[in-house]
Amino acid sequence: MRRWSGHCCRCLPTWNARASRSTATSSRGYRQASRRASRVSKNLGSPRQLGELLFDQLKLPGGKRTKNGQWETRAGLLDDLAANEELPEDARKLINTMLEWRQLSKLKSTYTDALPLHVNAQSARIHTSYALAATTTGRLASTDPNLQNIPVRTKEGREIRTAFIAEKGAQLISADYSQIELRVLAHMADIPQLKKAFADGLDIHAMTASETRRRAKAINFGIIYGISAFGLANQLGISRQEAGEYIATYFKRFPGIRDYMETTKKFAHDHGYVETVFGRRVHYPEINTKNPSMRGFLERAAINAPIQGSAADIIRRAMVRMPSALESAGLAHTTMLLQVHDELIFEAREAEIATALPLVQKVMEQAPEPIVKFSVPIHVDAKAASNWEAAH
DNA sequence: CGAACGGGCCAC
DNA sequence: AAACGTGGCCCGTTCG
């Protein structure tokens, strides 16, 4: 039984039809037009055909194959290709056009076209379903539609967020845990330098910075995910050796993290499970497999699970307490709408916003108590605005 | 025709 | 051998 049967989440704000109306050409139309205009007859929307054009016909350098023998055409790879000044201008231009087309067609097909089809006729809102026991770590999963992956990274993507609006006379509140997984790590692994940094309100990403903020962030996340020099090198486009030096520097700066990861790994091998900070178990019965790649994969998952799982426990505790907390505070017109892993979204009548903001912040920040007293501060940022993009 | 799968990519 | 964790959805392709 994967799905929590019966109910969807509470209502989502109304979909803003104005913002969601698309004026773009249909993808089919675009492809037909580009096929006519091209000397080679290809559907470049198909990764296979794009790969064949770039690497079989045009013989561009740097081609890699996927495990099934297809040419890889990931954005990261195409980025590198287009950056190569040795390549013919028209090839680079084609690649950049394809990257742009990929980005826009992704947004159109997955969000702009699809989301309006989910608007409920009665409520005039989009309702998602949350699966409560679908992930190994204890996170929720959102489906039909997934409202936990609404774009935010790019300017064009954020346009989609602006379409999630509050009722007239109300606003949306977005309240999100600040760097919750790094704080969980600092607490669970008991890293003095990391705990002090959070206690002092320092910017961890800036602190990690051996070079740029982008690299610092990648390392911080990499640590949580069970990093390897290879993976970090891949992501940052640096040499394996350089990546290895970053990791070594990180481990030196925060002594105890490497030990913690090794201890967690050993615990997983000895017991076949790991635990969140609240004692909830995440089982890895196959972790002692002799298959090296599977073993490595399970080890990284087992290192990540207590961190990701503890953060999932914390926000669940906040969610369980939230309705009664709102009611006790007399906030009858403030409603919890959505959960996005480290963020809760509410709709609140304007008259209630000033009270709701500090209340939801408090419930979220105190969620570990009284079971666990965190040795680092848990911090929540909360903000109200008329649409999701502005509130975030 | 639908199911299953791979590739790709959106989020945290 | 793979190489950074957790998910879900879309498209193209293949298969029955």
Side-chain angles (χ1 to χ4, degrees):
Chain A
M1 187 180 67
R2 252 170 64 84
R3 186 73 55 81
W4 175 44
S5 62
H7 300 80
C8 65
C9 78
R10 298 300 294 270
C11 298
L12 233 208
T14 48
W15 178 261
N16 179 342
R18 202 162 13 113
S20 73
R21 190 178 301 134
S22 168
T23 53
T25 321
S26 79
S27 54
R28 183 184 304 276
Y30 184 98
R31 286 198 297 273
Q32 281 168 351
S34 69
R35 200 177 297 137
R36 278 195 301 274
S38 174
R39 277 181 290 118
V40 281
S41 177
K42 290 258 179 197
N43 172 11
L44 298 186
S46 152
R48 180 168 66 79
Q49 296 195 41
L50 178 61
E52 284 169 8
L53 173 65
L54 296 180
F55 301 114
D56 287 335
Q57 292 184 233
L58 300 179
K59 309 273 185 216
L60 301 187
K64 281 192 245 174
R65 292 185 186 271
T66 68
K67 66 176 193 298
N68 290 315
Q70 256 195 58
W71 291 113
E72 241 184 284
T73 65
R74 288 177 297 110
L77 194 137
L78 296 187
D79 270 333
D80 293 347
L81 218 49
N84 183 349
E85 294 183 10
E86 318 250 306
L87 261 49
E89 191 55 37
D90 55 354
R92 298 173 62 193
K93 203 166 167 191
L94 167 71
I95 293 164
N96 281 321
T97 302
M98 282 312 303
L99 282 166
E100 193 182 353
W101 183 84
R102 284 254 184 99
Q103 192 216 341
L104 296 176
S105 65
K106 171 77 176 182
L107 295 177
K108 182 173 186 294
S109 63
T110 309
Y111 304 102
T112 313
D113 288 347
L115 288 176
L117 303 178
H118 287 278
V119 174
N120 181 287
Q122 238 130 52
S123 66
R125 291 166 181 249
I126 297 175
H127 305 259
T128 186
S129 294
Y130 282 114
L132 305 194
T135 68
T136 54
T137 58
R139 277 187 173 188
L140 305 187
S142 161
T143 58
D144 310 305
N146 180 359
L147 293 182
Q148 291 182 319
N149 71 342
I150 302 303
V152 71
R153 212 177 65 249
T154 65
K155 181 171 161 292
E156 292 79 8
R158 282 193 295 275
E159 290 290 313
I160 289 165
R161 266 186 195 233
T162 66
F164 290 85
I165 60 174
E167 208 74 72
K168 196 169 179 319
Q171 292 206 336
L172 299 184
I173 293 173
S174 164
D176 67 293
Y177 287 102
S178 159
Q179 301 181 47
I180 185 68
E181 293 191 345
L182 274 179
R183 290 175 198 262
V184 166
L185 173 67
H187 171 82
M188 292 184 85
D190 192 21
I191 310 297
Q193 289 82 348
L194 209 46
K195 292 203 298 194
K196 179 166 192 318
F198 278 123
D200 295 346
L202 295 184
D203 181 329
I204 301 299
H205 293 321
M207 216 186 130
T208 310
S210 3
E211 294 254 345
T212 69
R213 188 182 177 84
R214 187 176 70 91
R215 292 180 177 191
K217 252 179 124 163
I219 295 172
N220 278 326
F221 282 112
I223 291 294
I224 288 170
Y225 298 153
I227 203 166
S228 76
F230 185 95
L232 186 66
N234 242 355
Q235 162 149 354
L236 290 178
I238 57 181
S239 75
R240 221 196 120 156
Q241 188 185 342
E242 206 178 350
E245 285 163 12
Y246 281 150
I247 295 171
T249 305
Y250 190 97
F251 282 146
K252 204 179 280 177
R253 178 164 320 188
F254 300 114
I257 288 194
R258 195 208 307 259
D259 282 350
Y260 171 74
M261 292 169 71
E262 287 304 317
T263 304
T264 305
K265 201 168 26 169
K266 179 162 191 315
F267 187 97
H269 281 298
D270 290 347
H271 296 86
Y273 67 84
V274 291
E275 286 186 354
T276 69
V277 73
F278 300 99
R280 184 171 55 80
R281 294 178 180 179
V282 180
H283 295 272
Y284 294 96
E286 303 294 323
I287 197 163
N288 288 303
T289 176
K290 288 189 169 59
N291 179 329
S293 63
M294 190 184 296
R295 192 178 168 105
F297 177 73
L298 291 172
E299 284 173 348
R300 290 191 299 278
I303 288 169
N304 171 260
I307 304 170
Q308 190 182 115
S310 297
D313 289 346
I314 291 171
I315 196 166
R316 277 189 195 234
R317 293 171 63 85
M319 293 175 76
V320 166
R321 292 171 179 179
M322 197 61 74
S324 59
L326 291 170
E327 196 183 332
S328 301
L331 300 176
H333 302 100
T334 298
T335 321
M336 186 161 59
L337 300 180
L338 290 177
Q339 189 254 42
V340 190
H341 308 306
D342 65 355
E343 174 189 16
L344 295 176
I345 295 101
F346 302 81
E347 185 174 31
R349 278 225 192 138
E350 310 226 344
E352 298 190 356
I353 291 172
T355 311
L357 281 171
L359 179 75
V360 305
Q361 188 175 13
K362 187 175 123 190
V363 171
M364 290 171 76
E365 289 178 348
Q366 294 181 350
E369 298 169 22
I371 306 298
V372 176
K373 175 67 190 159
F374 264 72
S375 55
V376 291
I378 303 291
H379 183 72
V380 169
D381 294 306
K383 190 173 160 193
S386 61
N387 70 70
W388 193 1
E389 197 276 324
H392 190 74

